[in-house]
Amino acid sequence: MSIRGKAFIAGAYEHPERHLPNRTLPQIHADVAIGALEDAGLTTSDVDAYYSAGDAPGFGALSMVDYLGLDCHYVNDTETGGSSYLVHAQHAATAIAAGHIDVALITLAGKPRTGGASPGGSGRVGDAPEAPFESQWGMSVPGGYALAAQRHMHEFGTTSEQLAAIKVAASSHAQHNPHAFLQDLVTVEEVLESPMISDPLHRLDCCVITDGGGAMVIVSEAVASNLSRHCIPVLGTGSYVKSTQSGRIDLTHTGALRSGPIAFAEAEVSPAEIDYVSIYDSFTITVLITLEDLGFCERGQAGRFVADGALLAPHGQLPFNTDGGGLCNNHPANRGGMTKVIEAVRQLRFEANPEVQVPDCEIALAHGTGGSLATRSASSTMILGRSL
Amino acid sequence: MNLPSNAAQPNLENSPFFEGALQEKLVLPKCKKCEFVIWFPREICPECGSQNVDWFEASGTGSIYSFTITRRIPGSWSKATPFVLAYVELDEGPRVMTNIVDCDLTQIRIGDRVEKVFEEAVDRDGENGPPLLRFRPTKS
Ligand SMILES: [Zn+2]
């Protein structure tokens, strides 16, 4: 059974703040839940399914359903790091298509700037079977992604200047977003002159660290037809867990190589038909490799693609991350999946910031990458339409 | 300076690897059914699903698959910067995460030949634990 056109994003909300010393973690989940429900024209009493990931406190969905006062017969705590919220959206759309639920609420919140909870990670990491073989070497998050970048450069001649072009494009979009954490336009030279964190990644190749969060509400056609808000149909979804490949990891691709074709097939569209993309951008290299994996350019050619200005909105070949993305705008709880979907919804509703609104945006793709490209990661791709 | 060396905590499943490390031997699991060399050490073959595993002494040589020189990092590793984090492809096939030590940071390249060096490590109680599997450039 295809889920194409069976589920609709009715509400999408990004917390406007990036520094929240005076809000608790549950409060931020509540702030974004209510924001997304209000956007849809719904209330907490309409929700019959709730989804959360490792950023939710306590017992996850169990604690949050109770805290928010929800009445749910369907909950899901799938944890795949930053891509969790796209996986949740896939699961919600599937459950809606099967007729099990009508209104799914998905929330993300975090306080990495103000010490509310450990950022990004899962409490289970210490017990991981791989831990005795991976936690002894000083692998920081940027260090892991640097391993992927170095190998991509080795195999394909990708350069630091090309990676920097991704940050430049994100910053050119963020300058029009009054909520963006970084609003200044940067140049390739400024990226290359920023401190080296882990060769070849500079500080400006890395995403921002922000408090905040976001939420989305996904509904059935029956519910959508009674809402006045423009509801965005889910055309296709796909997810894939890329393992360490039996200990022979290939660092030059991600799970998007598999999640993408599943989503494109279900949506019945090709990469050439995509008007706008939200690409997970924990680091510039994350974007570069994902563009190849999703088929927007040939393997090894993404460096040239981005350096030619393809990602610039509104008139580039493939406008991306028009909110400024995780690289400039927001990466709440060190997890970027939720904000990827939210900006894709804005584009399809023609509600992006006017300077970066893609004209006649009809089909958009949102993509999340969780875990680490250096080890195991989960990719999730969602294709959305302005209409069916 | 020396890199932080926190000993891993062996468990029932991976202890042959660490017992080998105590004797400065690289001991790896191999699937009895399909002969696949398994990494990371565990008693299941990720290729065929068999839990029937043998252990053997590997060469301890390989080449650099990828590396990064980490220059900024929070926590205990900050004092050890710059240091090399790497994946080494063992001659037996697996790509293992590690550090490259005793090397010239300006000369290190993907493809460089390297050999194992077991470095002393201490556990949480300050006792000596199984040494850590790191690599250094092969002397030519
Ligand atoms: Zn086997």
Side-chain angles (χ1 to χ4, degrees):
Chain A
M1 182 183 70
S2 168
I3 62 162
R4 189 181 194 281
K6 303 274 175 54
F8 299 78
I9 300 181
Y13 180 79
E14 178 184 16
H15 202 294
E17 303 296 329
R18 306 289 178 264
H19 185 74
L20 289 162
N22 298 319
R23 300 297 277 170
T24 67
L25 186 58
Q27 277 180 312
I28 305 170
H29 277 279
D31 293 343
V32 295
I34 291 164
L37 287 164
E38 281 181 351
D39 182 48
L42 296 167
T43 71
T44 51
S45 62
D46 295 306
V47 175
D48 62 359
Y50 175 72
Y51 297 72
S52 64
D55 57 281
F59 222 106
L62 205 49
S63 291
M64 293 311 300
V65 163
D66 182 47
Y67 176 89
L68 294 168
L70 303 179
D71 190 12
C72 292
H73 61 262
Y74 209 104
V75 291
N76 185 316
D77 257 318
T78 300
E79 166 64 336
T80 63
S83 59
S84 299
Y85 318 93
L86 285 115
V87 176
H88 296 165
Q90 175 186 33
H91 293 177
T94 306
I96 287 168
H100 295 315
I101 61 172
D102 281 300
V103 178
L105 170 66
I106 309 168
T107 66
L108 156 74
K111 288 164 64 76
R113 297 197 74 77
T114 50
S118 66
S122 155
R124 303 173 196 149
V125 166
D127 295 333
E130 66 273 16
F133 308 97
E134 293 179 4
S135 58
Q136 278 72 34
W137 321 119
M139 185 184 76
S140 62
V141 180
Y145 283 70
L147 291 173
Q150 194 90 283
R151 186 70 199 184
H152 200 278
M153 289 177 161
H154 174 76
E155 288 195 27
F156 303 112
T158 304
T159 67
S160 290
E161 288 77 5
Q162 291 169 338
L163 289 176
I166 295 167
K167 178 73 164 199
V168 171
S171 76
S172 81
H173 303 157
Q175 64 181 325
H176 305 296
N177 180 356
H179 300 295
F181 187 77
L182 302 176
Q183 297 182 13
D184 293 338
L185 184 64
V186 300
T187 64
V188 167
E189 290 69 31
E190 284 169 324
V191 177
L192 299 185
E193 285 164 13
S194 66
M196 188 68 89
I197 303 296
S198 211
D199 302 32
L201 298 181
H202 303 79
R203 178 173 289 156
L204 293 184
D205 286 296
C206 307
C207 65
V208 299
I209 294 174
T210 46
D211 292 353
M216 63 180 128
V217 177
I218 305 185
V219 303
S220 63
E221 187 170 23
V223 171
S225 62
N226 284 313
L227 296 175
S228 55
R229 190 68 163 119
H230 178 183
C231 295
I232 299 298
V234 177
L235 301 182
T237 60
S239 299
Y240 182 73
V241 173
K242 184 194 176 214
S243 68
T244 52
Q245 300 171 284
S246 300
R248 276 73 171 164
I249 193 165
D250 179 346
L251 293 174
T252 65
H253 73 266
T254 74
L257 203 56
R258 301 283 290 277
S259 69
I262 298 169
F264 282 118
E266 187 167 59
E268 299 168 17
V269 302
S270 69
E273 293 173 86
I274 302 293
D275 299 308
Y276 164 81
V277 290
S278 286
I279 301 285
Y280 203 88
D281 56 348
S282 44
F283 299 91
T284 52
I285 186 64
T286 321
V287 177
L288 187 115
I289 298 180
T290 305
L291 288 169
E292 295 176 4
D293 293 340
L294 291 176
F296 292 114
C297 47
E298 294 291 316
R299 192 159 153 81
Q301 297 301 308
R304 265 170 242 175
F305 184 75
V306 300
D308 287 346
L311 301 180
L312 285 165
H315 300 301
Q317 190 183 333
L318 188 71
F320 103 126
N321 298 10
T322 39
D323 59 338
L327 288 171
C328 296
N329 170 35
N330 198 9
H331 200 68
N334 297 351
R335 290 159 172 253
M338 181 68 78
T339 44
K340 297 295 162 291
V341 180
I342 292 170
E343 183 65 5
V345 169
R346 289 193 192 109
Q347 280 287 346
L348 292 166
R349 284 171 165 173
F350 298 172
E351 292 175 0
N353 293 310
E355 298 86 350
V356 293
Q357 174 64 49
V358 175
D360 305 319
C361 187
E362 292 293 326
I363 304 178
L365 179 148
H367 182 84
T369 312
S372 173
L373 290 195
T375 56
R376 52 204 63 75
S377 57
S379 294
S380 191
T381 309
M382 182 158 58
I383 298 171
L384 302 168
R386 179 165 167 79
S387 56
L388 268 180
Chain B
M1 73 163 268
N2 290 334
L3 300 179
S5 290
N6 300 310
Q9 294 222 295
N11 61 31
L12 284 174
E13 191 179 348
N14 59 32
S15 55
F17 174 87
F18 293 106
E19 282 159 17
L22 284 167
Q23 300 171 53
E24 305 203 346
K25 291 177 177 171
L26 173 56
V27 174
L28 297 178
K30 181 192 255 187
C31 177
K32 274 191 180 172
K33 191 172 166 203
C34 76
E35 304 207 321
F36 188 77
V37 177
I38 297 165
W39 185 263
F40 54 91
R42 56 197 189 268
E43 287 189 348
I44 184 167
C45 172
E47 282 298 282
C48 78
S50 168
Q51 289 182 290
N52 205 350
V53 161
D54 248 347
W55 297 81
F56 75 103
E57 186 178 351
S59 63
T61 55
S63 55
I64 296 174
Y65 170 72
S66 194
F67 73 97
T68 180
I69 301 168
T70 292
R71 299 174 189 277
R72 287 167 188 254
I73 185 170
S76 59
W77 282 80
S78 62
K79 291 194 183 78
T81 57
F83 67 90
V84 182
L85 171 75
Y87 262 112
V88 164
E89 182 173 308
L90 302 177
D91 289 338
E92 290 80 6
R95 290 174 181 162
V96 309
M97 192 182 289
T98 185
N99 302 118
I100 309 295
V101 296
D102 302 335
C103 65
D104 178 348
L105 293 183
T106 64
Q107 294 300 314
I108 184 167
R109 297 285 182 274
I110 286 174
D112 284 357
R113 293 292 296 166
V114 291
E115 63 190 19
K116 71 173 167 37
V117 47
F118 282 98
E119 293 199 339
E120 227 171 68
V122 290
D123 65 18
R124 276 174 234 163
D125 305 322
E127 305 287 327
N128 272 350
L132 297 177
L133 174 64
R134 290 177 168 136
F135 289 81
R136 64 182 173 210
T138 304
K139 308 270 185 293
S140 50

mmCIF file of all heavy atoms in Angstrom, chain B residues 31 33-34 36 45 47-48 50, ligand 1:
data_model
loop_
_atom_site.group_PDB
_atom_site.id
_atom_site.type_symbol
_atom_site.label_atom_id
_atom_site.label_comp_id
_atom_site.label_asym_id
_atom_site.label_seq_id
_atom_site.Cartn_x
_atom_site.Cartn_y
_atom_site.Cartn_z
ATOM 1 N N CYS B 31 34.157 -15.724 11.315
ATOM 2 C CA CYS B 31 32.975 -16.572 11.253
ATOM 3 C C CYS B 31 33.373 -17.987 10.855
ATOM 4 O O CYS B 31 34.070 -18.194 9.864
ATOM 5 C CB CYS B 31 31.990 -16.001 10.239
ATOM 6 S SG CYS B 31 30.535 -17.038 10.019
ATOM 7 N N LYS B 33 31.332 -20.214 9.859
ATOM 8 C CA LYS B 33 30.476 -20.666 8.768
ATOM 9 C C LYS B 33 30.937 -20.095 7.421
ATOM 10 O O LYS B 33 31.108 -20.831 6.454
ATOM 11 C CB LYS B 33 29.026 -20.260 9.056
ATOM 12 C CG LYS B 33 28.010 -20.886 8.129
ATOM 13 C CD LYS B 33 26.592 -20.576 8.606
ATOM 14 C CE LYS B 33 25.585 -20.909 7.515
ATOM 15 N NZ LYS B 33 24.350 -20.145 7.695
ATOM 16 N N CYS B 34 31.160 -18.753 7.364
ATOM 17 C CA CYS B 34 31.480 -18.138 6.064
ATOM 18 C C CYS B 34 32.888 -17.537 6.014
ATOM 19 O O CYS B 34 33.277 -16.953 5.013
ATOM 20 C CB CYS B 34 30.431 -17.099 5.685
ATOM 21 S SG CYS B 34 30.567 -15.534 6.565
ATOM 22 N N PHE B 36 34.146 -14.956 7.296
ATOM 23 C CA PHE B 36 34.239 -13.497 7.265
ATOM 24 C C PHE B 36 34.979 -13.003 8.503
ATOM 25 O O PHE B 36 34.737 -13.462 9.616
ATOM 26 C CB PHE B 36 32.821 -12.901 7.231
ATOM 27 C CG PHE B 36 32.771 -11.418 7.005
ATOM 28 C CD1 PHE B 36 32.966 -10.893 5.732
ATOM 29 C CD2 PHE B 36 32.528 -10.543 8.061
ATOM 30 C CE1 PHE B 36 32.910 -9.524 5.520
ATOM 31 C CE2 PHE B 36 32.471 -9.171 7.850
ATOM 32 C CZ PHE B 36 32.667 -8.660 6.580
ATOM 33 N N CYS B 45 28.174 -13.023 13.239
ATOM 34 C CA CYS B 45 28.721 -12.621 11.944
ATOM 35 C C CYS B 45 27.714 -11.703 11.239
ATOM 36 O O CYS B 45 26.597 -12.127 10.962
ATOM 37 C CB CYS B 45 28.990 -13.855 11.083
ATOM 38 S SG CYS B 45 29.442 -13.435 9.388
ATOM 39 N N GLU B 47 27.683 -10.787 8.304
ATOM 40 C CA GLU B 47 27.463 -11.190 6.914
ATOM 41 C C GLU B 47 26.438 -12.318 6.793
ATOM 42 O O GLU B 47 25.608 -12.317 5.900
ATOM 43 C CB GLU B 47 28.791 -11.633 6.276
ATOM 44 C CG GLU B 47 29.682 -10.479 5.876
ATOM 45 C CD GLU B 47 29.062 -9.570 4.821
ATOM 46 O OE1 GLU B 47 29.047 -9.902 3.635
ATOM 47 O OE2 GLU B 47 28.574 -8.490 5.219
ATOM 48 N N CYS B 48 26.532 -13.329 7.674
ATOM 49 C CA CYS B 48 25.639 -14.488 7.513
ATOM 50 C C CYS B 48 24.769 -14.767 8.732
ATOM 51 O O CYS B 48 23.901 -15.637 8.682
ATOM 52 C CB CYS B 48 26.448 -15.730 7.133
ATOM 53 S SG CYS B 48 27.297 -16.492 8.530
ATOM 54 N N SER B 50 25.589 -16.072 11.599
ATOM 55 C CA SER B 50 26.019 -17.172 12.456
ATOM 56 C C SER B 50 26.622 -16.645 13.759
ATOM 57 O O SER B 50 27.315 -15.627 13.765
ATOM 58 C CB SER B 50 27.075 -18.015 11.722
ATOM 59 O OG SER B 50 27.685 -18.907 12.643
HETATM 60 ZN ZN ZN C 1 29.428 -15.653 8.488
#
